[in-house]
Structure formats: C-alpha cells, structure tokens
Amino acid sequence: MTRLWYVIGLLLIVSGLVHLGVLVLDGGPWDGPVSWRKPFTFGVSFGLSVLSLTWVSQFIRLRRRNVFLGVFAAASVVEVALISVQAWRGVPSHFNMSTDVDSLIARTLAAGGFTLIAIAIFMTVSAFRPSHPNTGKSPSTDLGGTPSTNLTTSNTVPSGSPIARLAGSPSMRLAVQAGFGTFLTAMAFGGIMIARGVFEALTGSQQLAYTVAGSLKPAHAILMHGVLLLPALAWLLSRTHPSEQTRLRVVRLAIWTYITVSAIISALALFGITIVSPSTASVLCAGAISGLAIGALTLGTLLRPQTHSPNASGDEGM
C-alpha cells in the first residue's frame, strides 16, 4: 500500500503543476478567491504532505498505518479535486454559500480540513508514544535532554531493519517528534482559518471571510512541511556523520532555528504585517521549507553512507 500513497502524492503534485501551467497560459489574478493559484498551491502542498507522512510514518510506532494514510490521502484528493472543480467553474471554493452546490462543496472542504486535522493529531500522539509500552519507559527526548533508543516502529517495519535502527536513534526520534509538532501547529492554524472563514460566511460577510482566513496563510505554510524537513535532515546526517551526539546537536540547532523563524513569520501574520500578499508569502514559505527538505533527501541519496559506530543508527532512503 505504501507505493499507492506515493503514487497519489505524486499525482496531486502533477495536478498542481498542471494548474500552474494553466495560470501561465490563461493568466488571471494571482491573489483572490478565484485564481488558478489555488489548485496549483493546494495540489502541490497536499501532494507533498501525502508523500511526507507516508515516508515519516515509517519512523513512528503507528498501528493501522495504512488506514490512517489512506484516509489522509483520500481526504487530500477530495480537497484538491473540489478546489480544482471550482477553479474551472470560475467561482470561489472556500466559504462560498451562494448556491446549494457551492455551499455543499464549501462545507465538504471544511469537513475534509477537520478530517486532516484529526489524522494529524493521532499521528502526532503516535510519534510521542514510548517505544517500550510494556515497561512504560519512554525514549522521548526534549531539546536538551538525553534520550534513549531502540524504537519499535510500525507493524510493517521489522524491528532489526535499517529503518527501525534509524528510527531508534535519538536524533531521528527528536526530529520526527518536532516535525509532527510543527505539522500539528500548521493544522491548528488551518483549523482557525476554516472556523473564522465559515463563521463570517454564514453571517453574511463572505468577502471578510477571505480576508480574515487568508491573513494566516503564511503561518500555516511555514509550519506545514517541517514534518518532512526535520526528519530529512536527520536522515541526511545519519549518512554523513557517524557520531550520534553530533547528529543530535545539529538536529536540536535546526529545530530551534526553524521554531524561531516560524514564530516570527506567524507573529507577523497574526498582526497582519506582510511585505508581500499573504498568498505570495505562503508560497514562498512553503517553497523554501519543502525545497530544503527535498534537497536534504536528494543529497542523502547521492552521498555514500559513512561507517557508523556500534551505537549509531542505520540508514534508509526514501
């Protein structure tokens, strides 16, 4: 089933890129509720999210992994499909209550968004589960503590495999936990955007719905793809630095840097301070984070793994 989730993620990205081509050829506004930008950005973002969760879920102890990934992938497909349909119809997708059909689509998009949030909550909780449930001892670590190892991952990953060994390393475990923490925070911002927008739309202020919801786009975007960036960095380090202590220090530094930058961007968004439009800022933020993550994965694939010490983790590619 893992291959199916990867295929779905790639198809969503292709859908987004196709709509980018339509935007280039057809023109039209970049900002606003009716724009080819929406199926482009949502297609690429949801596609990356499906790919990210499929890969990163290998490093957590997750029961019914395929069920949760399947629900997340299905909800992502519905979201992108409905947004694309509305773009081709030339009407807003979100918060559009002008007709019965538009209202149904808008409500479905809102419900899909909260479904994605529920999956994110469950997977984040799973990322913080102890690796030894029978003893009650947790190998989790904070940004300054000393973690333990030997994580048992999902049922589909043998305990002695390279993925399981890497998942048991303190640096990867910390990266995964922090990544899911930022992903859940991004989903929280998304939930706030949906709730505020729906409230304004239902009370008769549809244009205000787009304004208040859109202002939080940069905060949502900057945090969305940390779930891939931080584990990708830990994976790259596992192939280039034999010392686990070095890898752990670099991961901690990366996490604090990412949190600081995200906090600044989020604070500016909350106060409505932007140099460019929220839509442009969100694309730049998401592009920068996902670009760094893809770069780390690509570099790790091209480099020959270093010889690890007995206490170091194994390596496994995407």
Side-chain angles (χ1 to χ4, degrees), residues 207-261:
Q207 187 56 47
L208 183 59
Y210 300 123
T211 302
V212 298
S215 64
L216 295 178
K217 286 179 181 178
H220 175 70
I222 190 70
L223 292 160
M224 188 72 177
H225 301 294
V227 70
L228 178 61
L229 173 63
L230 297 174
L233 174 62
W235 180 74
L236 172 61
L237 291 171
S238 75
R239 300 176 68 84
T240 56
H241 293 276
S243 170
E244 173 59 27
Q245 291 303 315
T246 299
R247 299 199 295 267
L248 188 57
R249 284 195 295 268
V250 174
V251 168
R252 285 175 181 156
L253 177 61
I255 291 171
W256 282 117
T257 301
Y258 181 45
I259 290 175
T260 301
V261 173

Side-chain angles (χ1 to χ4, degrees), residues 69 75 86 92 101 148 199 205 211 216 303 316:
L69 290 177
Q86 294 296 74
V101 172
S148 61
F199 174 79
S205 304
T211 302
L216 295 178
L303 293 177
E316 183 70 20

Side-chain angles (χ1 to χ4, degrees), residues 11-25 36 39-40 44 88:
L11 289 177
L12 289 174
I13 292 176
V14 170
S15 171
L17 294 177
V18 167
H19 284 98
L20 176 60
V22 175
L23 174 62
V24 172
L25 295 175
W36 293 116
F40 157 55
V44 173
W88 283 98

Side-chain angles (χ1 to χ4, degrees), residues 284-315:
L284 293 175
C285 289
I289 300 302
S290 58
L292 288 172
I294 294 171
L297 288 172
T298 303
L299 185 59
T301 302
L302 296 176
L303 293 177
R304 177 177 298 179
Q306 295 290 315
T307 302
H308 289 187
S309 63
N311 294 326
S313 62
D315 57 271

Side-chain angles (χ1 to χ4, degrees), residues 44-293:
V44 173
S45 183
F46 274 111
L48 284 173
S49 295
V50 172
L51 294 176
S52 299
L53 292 191
T54 301
W55 182 66
V56 176
S57 65
Q58 299 175 96
F59 302 111
I60 64 177
R61 188 167 60 87
L62 180 63
R63 296 183 180 90
R64 297 181 178 86
R65 173 177 178 265
N66 283 323
V67 172
F68 289 102
L69 290 177
V71 173
F72 190 92
S76 298
V77 169
V78 171
E79 294 280 303
V80 173
L82 292 180
I83 290 168
S84 300
V85 166
Q86 294 296 74
W88 283 98
R89 292 179 65 209
V91 297
S93 53
H94 294 82
F95 320 132
N96 183 0
M97 308 295 180
S98 56
T99 68
D100 290 341
V101 172
D102 293 324
S103 180
L104 176 61
I105 290 177
R107 293 174 188 272
T108 302
L109 289 172
F114 286 114
T115 299
L116 296 172
I117 292 172
I119 298 297
I121 291 173
F122 186 88
M123 296 188 74
T124 301
V125 171
S126 297
F128 283 86
R129 281 180 179 172
S131 63
H132 299 286
N134 294 330
T135 63
K137 296 180 180 180
S138 173
S140 61
T141 180
D142 56 27
L143 297 187
T146 302
S148 61
T149 57
N150 301 323
L151 172 69
T152 301
T153 57
S154 63
N155 296 334
T156 60
V157 180
S159 59
S161 68
I163 289 179
R165 291 196 300 271
L166 178 57
S169 68
S171 56
M172 177 57 83
R173 183 165 175 82
L174 180 59
V176 169
Q177 290 176 340
F180 271 107
T182 60
F183 184 70
L184 186 58
T185 305
M187 288 295 185
F189 275 114
I192 294 172
M193 292 165 61
I194 294 172
R196 293 177 65 182
V198 170
F199 174 79
E200 296 296 342
L202 292 177
T203 55
S205 304
Q206 186 170 341
Q207 187 56 47
L208 183 59
Y210 300 123
T211 302
V212 298
S215 64
L216 295 178
K217 286 179 181 178
H220 175 70
I222 190 70
L223 292 160
M224 188 72 177
H225 301 294
V227 70
L228 178 61
L229 173 63
L230 297 174
L233 174 62
W235 180 74
L236 172 61
L237 291 171
S238 75
R239 300 176 68 84
T240 56
H241 293 276
S243 170
E244 173 59 27
Q245 291 303 315
T246 299
R247 299 199 295 267
L248 188 57
R249 284 195 295 268
V250 174
V251 168
R252 285 175 181 156
L253 177 61
I255 291 171
W256 282 117
T257 301
Y258 181 45
I259 290 175
T260 301
V261 173
S262 298
I264 294 173
I265 297 296
S266 299
L268 292 174
L270 287 170
F271 286 101
I273 302 173
T274 56
I275 299 176
V276 295
S277 69
S279 297
T280 301
S282 65
V283 170
L284 293 175
C285 289
I289 300 302
S290 58
L292 288 172

